[in-house]
Amino acid sequence: MSKMKRVCLAAFLLSACSGLMAQSNSKSQFKWDSQVTAFAAPTWNHRLLTGVTPAPRQALYTESSLRDSFSRCDQTMRSSNLGLRLTKKKSSYQAFSLGLSFSRFGFERLYEGEIFGYEVHPDVGIYESLVQGPQTSVVYQHRSTYLEIQADWHRRIDGPSLHLDKASLWAFGGVAPMLLLQHAQRIETVGFAMTTGSEFVVDELQMQLGADDKPYFVRAKTSEINLAIRGGLRWEYELDPAVRLHFQPSFSALCWSPAYGTQTYLPVQLAMEFGVILPLN
């Protein structure tokens, strides 16, 4: 986690704790018909590959072999989300929520092979040194950061047959319109370093042919707008008459590829959300 993210998270939690202390000191009785949740969520991200486009005029990869190569090299990327959510209860067993979240989707691609003479990325360069560790690799993180507006419908699923003391269990589903804030590749070299360092953030590129039939690279096109389909469970626990905690495992899948370059894919995410809930009435 970067230093800036740690500072933002600390400020976020400090603000939530301050609200908790103020609410806990109040002697009022709360209805909990309307409530606000501050949440943070570690996430596990991957992708569903929907298409590949081999570089023009090269025989190293066909579409089939490129798809197989990606399938072998791609793996889960861990990240985190932060946000706020307003919830309005329609009844004791139904509720609607509207949330705002900074979310990151993506996946990791691992290169393990001959490093000498390997082009890490057109903007990073070719490794031309014989100095390297016993184990070398390059980790490519394909990362898309979004501003999400989460609209969810909640249904309480505990009852007489599933009584939870000071707690409640809900199922939810919804959609989230999303605005793309950044799409980039984070590259980390392991076991060796380029002359300019070992960590880089670069654009995702696509090879094309010019009028003189020579290849050149362009920035891959991106989808500025996307839509996520969401669903999961939410567990609430009454810590105090004025404070509740919640735990919410959820699954999200995007409807469109974040970028259209050498590959197209649909990001998927598993999130384990932890939050603090305060009443608004």
Side-chain angles (χ1 to χ4, degrees), residues 164-186:
L164 302 172
D165 188 34
K166 289 189 175 183
S168 59
L169 184 63
W170 302 70
F172 75 92
V175 297
M178 310 170 72
L179 175 65
L180 182 66
L181 302 179
Q182 182 189 46
H183 177 77
Q185 282 184 325
R186 179 184 180 275

Side-chain angles (χ1 to χ4, degrees), residues 101-106 142-149 176-184 204 219-227 254 256-260 265 267:
S101 173
F102 289 96
S103 307
R104 176 170 288 165
F105 289 76
H142 294 254
R143 308 191 301 184
S144 301
T145 304
Y146 290 94
L147 178 64
E148 272 191 278
I149 301 176
M178 310 170 72
L179 175 65
L180 182 66
L181 302 179
Q182 182 189 46
H183 177 77
E204 182 175 347
R219 186 174 181 267
K221 294 181 180 180
T222 57
S223 296
E224 302 303 317
I225 303 296
N226 216 316
L227 182 72
L254 271 59
W256 299 287
S257 178
Y260 296 86
Y265 59 94

Side-chain angles (χ1 to χ4, degrees), residues 39-44 79-83 248 250 269 271-274:
F39 64 84
T43 64
W44 292 261
S79 189
S80 60
N81 300 340
L82 290 172
Q248 179 173 292
S250 65
Q269 181 182 93
M272 296 296 178
E273 183 180 300
F274 300 88

Side-chain angles (χ1 to χ4, degrees), residues 238-256:
E238 184 180 299
L239 183 66
D240 180 89
V243 178
R244 293 180 182 179
L245 303 179
H246 95 140
F247 169 65
Q248 179 173 292
S250 65
F251 177 81
S252 300
L254 271 59
C255 293
W256 299 287

